[in-house]
Amino acid sequence: MAAIEVDGLTKVYGETVANDDLSFSVREGEIFGFLGPNGAGKSTLIRMLLGFQSPTSGSARVLGSDIRDERALLEAKADIGYLPASPGFDGSVTGRTFLDYQAELKGDQRRAELLDLFDPPLDRKIRAYSTGNRQMLAIVQTFMHDPDLVIMDEPTSGLDPLKQEHFNDFLRRERDRGLTVFFSSHILGEVRRVCDRVGIIREGHLAALEDVADLLARGGKRVRVVTADPVDAVDFQFAGVLDAEFVGRQAQFTFTGDYDDLIAHLTGYDIVDLEIEEPPLEDVFMHFYGEAPVGSEATATDPADPDGPATETDPAVAGPEADDV
């Protein structure tokens, strides 16, 4: 049984279509990345999967429960961890009080273990937390009841690089012990490091759905070759050579053709240096968007969604008073 099954799911706000006929499934025990820029409709889908919003049409099942069946979905949530893009906390309580409250709602079998990995200052008022500490507190509450499925929206936001790597290592270990992870992101490197499969969403439509390895393979390889003599650009005009740049004795290009043909061609040169490597995932992303890679200019809200990113509004997760967002 798939952990998540989405069938023709559509969400319309007035004249804006946030999600348009999405259909895919997330397998049990995999890390699935839902990739796209802010504004593509990622947060809208998450809200529907968790029952925070109703679809305009279509259906989905989460851990076997129909998202349109409020009672069944509520029961399924006992086995789901949720990490929103902007966790809502009562800033007047300490981190310890917040986690105590969460434990009463859903359990905390793994609380101590998680606090060894992610160590927010539990005895400090949450309003005094840095962004990174707030995110670590949210990570602990997401996983501490040992869920079967975790749904996350931009999970490493605010974490420093070392904590990000700890978190990615943790996700891989959890996957290996059977956890299913669904997370949205616009950080392409994050997807490369941890995901088994990826769905790319563009303007509400699913533009691609495939294994990360296959996605990278479609992008070809980046080739840089330095020769003893100057390079003639005309000599590199053959099948599979894309985005070629030539400077003196160096040629650099993306190659998507037959590598036997490439090697045979290079034997005609006195090679000084040769590098062949995977392209940046940003380059692969360009195949689906045809524009500058997503990243530094991404905004914190979802223009396709008047409610902005998926924030925590479920009292079973948010805490006593989610008023300090």
Side-chain angles (χ1 to χ4, degrees):
M1 181 182 72
I4 298 175
E5 298 175 277
V6 177
D7 184 12
L9 208 59
T10 298
K11 182 64 178 179
V12 179
Y13 298 96
E15 297 182 356
T16 300
V17 180
N19 290 155
D20 191 359
D21 195 29
L22 296 179
S23 295
F24 63 91
S25 63
V26 177
R27 305 163 187 155
E28 289 184 343
E30 76 169 338
I31 301 178
F32 185 95
F34 199 50
L35 180 63
N38 289 325
K42 304 186 305 296
S43 296
T44 299
L45 175 64
I46 287 176
R47 274 195 293 270
M48 288 191 288
L49 292 179
L50 291 167
F52 298 158
Q53 289 183 332
S54 299
T56 303
S57 62
S59 62
R61 302 184 73 86
V62 178
L63 296 182
S65 296
D66 192 324
I67 63 170
R68 297 167 299 183
D69 184 335
E70 185 175 351
R71 177 173 295 180
L73 186 58
L74 184 61
E75 292 178 0
K77 282 186 177 182
D79 298 314
I80 297 173
Y82 173 44
L83 179 61
S86 301
F89 299 109
D90 175 5
S92 68
V93 303
T94 65
R96 190 179 307 280
T97 298
F98 170 76
L99 293 182
D100 288 343
Y101 173 78
Q102 295 298 310
E104 292 177 2
L105 291 174
K106 58 186 182 182
D108 63 349
Q109 300 93 308
R110 304 186 63 187
R111 176 174 174 176
E113 171 193 351
L114 287 159
L115 287 173
D116 283 340
L117 295 171
F118 310 101
D119 53 351
L122 293 184
D123 295 319
R124 187 184 303 170
K125 294 288 182 68
I126 296 176
R127 66 163 54 99
Y129 276 22
S130 66
T131 300
N133 281 332
R134 291 169 69 96
Q135 193 69 6
M136 287 192 293
L137 183 66
I139 289 171
V140 173
Q141 71 85 18
T142 300
F143 290 88
M144 71 181 192
H145 63 296
D146 200 19
D148 297 325
L149 167 67
V150 168
I151 297 176
M152 302 183 290
D153 197 356
E154 305 288 352
T156 61
S157 175
L159 296 182
D160 64 44
L162 183 59
K163 288 295 185 184
Q164 286 183 24
E165 191 54 39
H166 285 170
F167 182 67
N168 290 335
D169 288 342
F170 172 73
L171 284 186
R172 287 187 286 263
R173 292 195 301 271
E174 292 301 295
R175 184 266 321 273
D176 291 344
R177 62 188 292 270
L179 178 69
T180 305
V181 178
F182 176 95
F183 78 87
S184 74
S185 180
H186 67 270
I187 303 174
L188 305 178
E190 189 169 63
V191 170
R192 176 200 290 269
R193 287 190 292 271
V194 301
C195 287
D196 302 302
R197 287 196 304 146
V198 63
I200 294 179
I201 186 172
R202 176 178 185 177
E203 297 176 351
H205 296 275
L206 195 64
L209 179 66
E210 54 192 311
D211 293 345
V212 169
D214 292 340
L215 187 68
L216 290 172
R218 289 176 57 187
K221 300 287 186 180
R222 289 295 294 168
V223 178
R224 186 183 73 87
V225 56
V226 180
T227 61
D229 300 309
V231 178
D232 189 341
V234 176
D235 292 342
F236 280 84
Q237 293 178 357
F238 61 95
V241 175
L242 305 173
D243 305 323
E245 298 177 0
F246 303 94
V247 179
R249 297 181 297 111
Q250 176 176 293
Q252 184 168 304
F253 51 89
T254 297
F255 187 70
T256 61
D258 187 310
Y259 289 101
D260 288 338
D261 293 342
L262 175 63
I263 298 303
H265 182 81
L266 293 178
T267 57
Y269 294 85
D270 184 359
I271 303 297
V272 175
D273 191 21
L274 174 65
E275 294 180 1
I276 301 178
E277 61 185 9
E278 285 186 349
L281 196 53
E282 286 85 348
D283 289 356
V284 181
F285 195 77
M286 290 279 284
H287 287 288
F288 301 100
Y289 280 87
E291 58 191 28
V294 182
S296 60
E297 296 183 1
T299 61
T301 59
D302 187 340
D305 181 346
D307 296 325
T311 56
E312 189 53 83
T313 57
D314 185 343
V317 183
E321 298 178 33
D323 61 356
D324 189 33
V325 181

